[in-house]
Amino acid sequence: MRKVIIFATLLLFLILILFLFKEKILQAQSNIGIELYVYPQGFYGTATPIKIENASDDRYKTPLKSTVVAGTEYKMVLSGVGNNNFTLIFSNISLSYNTSSTSNCSGFYGKLVGNDDCIIEGTFNEPNSNYEKWNITVIQGSKSASTSFYLVKQSYAQTSTIFSKNDQYYLEPTSTTTQPTSTITYNVYSNKLYCPIYMANGQSTTTPSPSPGRFVHFNVASSSFINRDFIPTNLRLEGVTPRIYNLYLVNSGNQIIGPPSPVQVTINVTPPFTPPPGSFECRGAPNNWCRCVFSYCYWYDYNRTRWVPTSSSACGNVCAGGIRE
């Protein structure tokens, strides 16, 4: 009898697993999706289309392939909609309006591939502004999917005047320093609304110029952004005079090309702190200084420029035995 019960339990467990697996398959089959592709200009239907990635609100940190230029041919793949009716909503995020329409694949002048996917092809029209952020949503019953992108005028994205614009690049420090001799690391982002071949090469510069000391500057090649979202780079400080400096990128004509005003990347260089005799590095806190005064642990507060009481654990419990000095 016990074996029969065990067998029945295992059988029920197996049936439950198969049921859940079947539900997962049905659920996956019932999902819908939307993918947007563009053809390289002049190669409609004869080249491998490029998949567009979802755009973010930041035009510098948005993915490289989230921008399309007006006049480009596109292919929109709506997966899982079949030939049943669905709704397409086109939302202009920049101008806060949208339009929608409901039909089946053929009603949108699409082509049904197999029994599930609808392919709609066309050409992007010129936006009203220099650039606009758009979102396309497909809805069918309770299911939905969406994609977003920047639509840019060709005269804005591909023009020689980009060379001297001050918003071509954005500098983001990934490390900081206050030491006269040290290194700061940066990520350099390009403005994804501009085609890289029209952008200027840049060289970093600081104002004012240090005296004494110097900055070992870095160069940025616009061609680096043809296939990259950002590039890492280093700014070296060699005995730089303590003060605040502004960091920019300039083109070959010494025109500022990033970061755009009013954004400024500042470097605050201060003289290194020399710990007094008897102090030591706080436990587990590099570049922080501790000392014992009688049986108590003190920590040097850089903001208030004085010693303040702190937990004895910061001193590694060495203060309990008496005065460190």
Side-chain angles (χ1 to χ4, degrees):
M1 178 63 69
R2 184 177 179 183
K3 290 183 179 180
V4 173
I5 294 174
I6 294 175
F7 178 77
T9 302
L10 292 175
L11 183 61
L12 288 173
F13 182 69
L14 180 61
I15 292 173
L16 178 61
I17 291 177
L18 291 174
F19 175 77
L20 293 175
F21 182 69
K22 179 182 177 182
E23 287 295 309
K24 287 289 184 181
I25 293 177
L26 292 175
Q27 185 179 7
Q29 290 175 341
S30 67
N31 286 338
I32 63 174
I34 179 171
E35 292 181 345
L36 186 63
Y37 298 83
V38 296
Y39 291 96
Q41 203 157 15
F43 292 90
Y44 176 66
T46 62
T48 302
I50 302 167
K51 184 179 179 181
I52 297 301
E53 301 179 49
N54 279 322
S56 69
D57 292 332
D58 190 325
R59 55 187 171 144
Y60 295 95
K61 294 186 178 181
T62 195
L64 184 66
K65 296 177 181 178
S66 64
T67 302
V68 297
V69 178
T72 304
E73 293 88 3
Y74 68 82
K75 178 173 77 171
M76 183 165 56
V77 179
L78 306 175
S79 57
V81 298
N83 202 32
N84 298 318
N85 281 358
F86 56 87
T87 299
L88 282 178
I89 303 175
F90 297 86
S91 303
N92 188 320
I93 308 301
S94 301
L95 301 180
S96 301
Y97 75 83
N98 62 67
T99 181
S100 64
S101 183
T102 300
S103 185
N104 59 14
C105 185
S106 59
F108 284 109
Y109 302 99
K111 179 175 62 177
L112 194 63
V113 177
N115 296 319
D116 296 319
D117 299 344
C118 177
I119 295 179
I120 302 172
E121 294 181 313
T123 303
F124 284 108
N125 295 325
E126 284 274 321
N128 294 318
S129 306
N130 284 328
Y131 63 91
E132 296 169 352
K133 186 181 178 184
W134 282 84
N135 188 80
I136 305 177
T137 303
V138 56
I139 301 175
Q140 189 177 63
S142 61
K143 299 167 291 185
S144 67
S146 63
T147 188
S148 59
F149 58 93
Y150 284 100
L151 179 61
V152 189
K153 282 185 177 181
Q154 186 173 1
S155 59
Y156 184 82
Q158 301 172 344
T159 173
S160 60
T161 59
I162 293 173
F163 181 85
S164 58
K165 288 188 175 182
N166 70 349
D167 62 350
Q168 297 178 56
Y169 298 101
Y170 177 79
L171 303 172
E172 181 179 71
T174 54
S175 71
T176 58
T177 184
T178 58
Q179 302 301 310
T181 298
S182 54
T183 299
I184 309 176
T185 58
Y186 290 90
N187 283 338
V188 183
Y189 295 86
S190 65
N191 188 332
K192 303 304 188 302
L193 304 181
Y194 298 144
C195 292
I197 60 174
Y198 290 89
M199 297 173 64
N201 295 331
Q203 181 179 22
S204 66
T205 186
T206 52
T207 57
S209 297
S211 180
R214 71 179 186 125
F215 289 97
V216 180
H217 287 286
F218 57 86
N219 295 315
V220 174
S222 61
S223 59
S224 300
F225 296 95
I226 293 177
N227 295 306
R228 302 175 71 177
D229 288 331
F230 68 91
I231 58 172
T233 190
N234 299 321
L235 178 70
R236 178 71 182 165
L237 288 67
E238 294 185 349
V240 172
T241 308
R243 65 170 303 163
I244 294 178
Y245 299 89
N246 295 322
L247 176 67
Y248 301 98
L249 286 178
V250 295
N251 62 16
S252 57
N254 205 37
Q255 296 169 301
I256 294 176
I257 58 176
S261 180
V263 177
Q264 290 185 334
V265 180
T266 57
I267 306 167
N268 187 7
V269 181
T270 59
F273 170 71
T274 303
S279 61
F280 52 92
E281 199 168 54
C282 300
R283 184 177 183 179
N287 299 319
N288 283 271
W289 300 95
C290 287
R291 67 188 300 191
C292 295
V293 179
F294 298 104
S295 296
Y296 299 98
C297 181
Y298 281 74
W299 164 73
Y300 188 80
D301 188 334
Y302 287 92
N303 295 324
R304 291 185 284 180
T305 63
R306 64 185 180 89
W307 294 94
V308 294
T310 188
S311 169
S312 61
S313 61
C315 291
N317 297 316
V318 299
C319 299
I323 302 173
R324 174 82 176 187
E325 300 174 300

